[in-house]
Amino acid sequence: MSHPEQSQQMSVAKGNCLEMLRLILDGEATEEEKKNFIDKHLETCMPCYRTYHLEMAIRDLLKSKCGNHEAPAELIENIKRMIGTVR
Ligand SMILES: [Zn+2]
């Protein structure tokens, strides 16, 4: 699964990384993928770093506004669209 030639780079190919980030944010990535991505990739990829932290900030905000319940996915999507993290 891990090839030596990949070990110097993160395992996420450029161009695919925002897609990977999307999977992580949607909870569809494995724990390992998530950890690897957050630990290694975010440090080197500004778009992902910004999107990830923006997303986390939005979720925190919505959580506090919704009395610590999980905000409706629809509401999150609307906000993301407004700030342009989703096409
Ligand atoms: Zn990236």
Side-chain angles (χ1 to χ4, degrees):
M1 200 172 142
S2 62
H3 302 282
E5 68 268 22
Q6 278 185 339
S7 62
Q8 290 182 334
Q9 297 213 333
M10 55 262 161
S11 58
V12 184
K14 278 230 179 229
N16 259 344
C17 65
L18 285 172
E19 209 172 300
M20 187 68 211
L21 180 63
R22 181 60 39 211
L23 291 179
I24 289 168
L25 292 171
D26 289 345
E28 286 168 26
T30 66
E31 278 304 308
E32 197 187 341
E33 284 171 330
K34 192 171 159 179
K35 190 174 183 306
N36 192 46
F37 193 87
I38 290 169
D39 285 355
K40 300 194 180 144
H41 182 69
L42 287 190
E43 288 181 11
T44 61
C45 184
M46 192 47 67
C48 286
Y49 180 89
R50 288 181 53 190
T51 305
Y52 179 79
H53 286 283
L54 186 61
E55 181 92 15
M56 289 301 141
I58 292 168
R59 287 182 188 201
D60 278 355
L61 184 71
L62 288 177
K63 243 182 213 172
S64 60
K65 279 204 191 301
C66 296
N68 275 331
H69 293 297
E70 209 46 60
E74 198 181 315
L75 181 57
I76 295 177
E77 285 307 312
N78 283 341
I79 293 174
K80 284 195 290 200
R81 246 176 227 117
M82 280 185 331
I83 55 180
T85 61
V86 171
R87 275 163 302 177

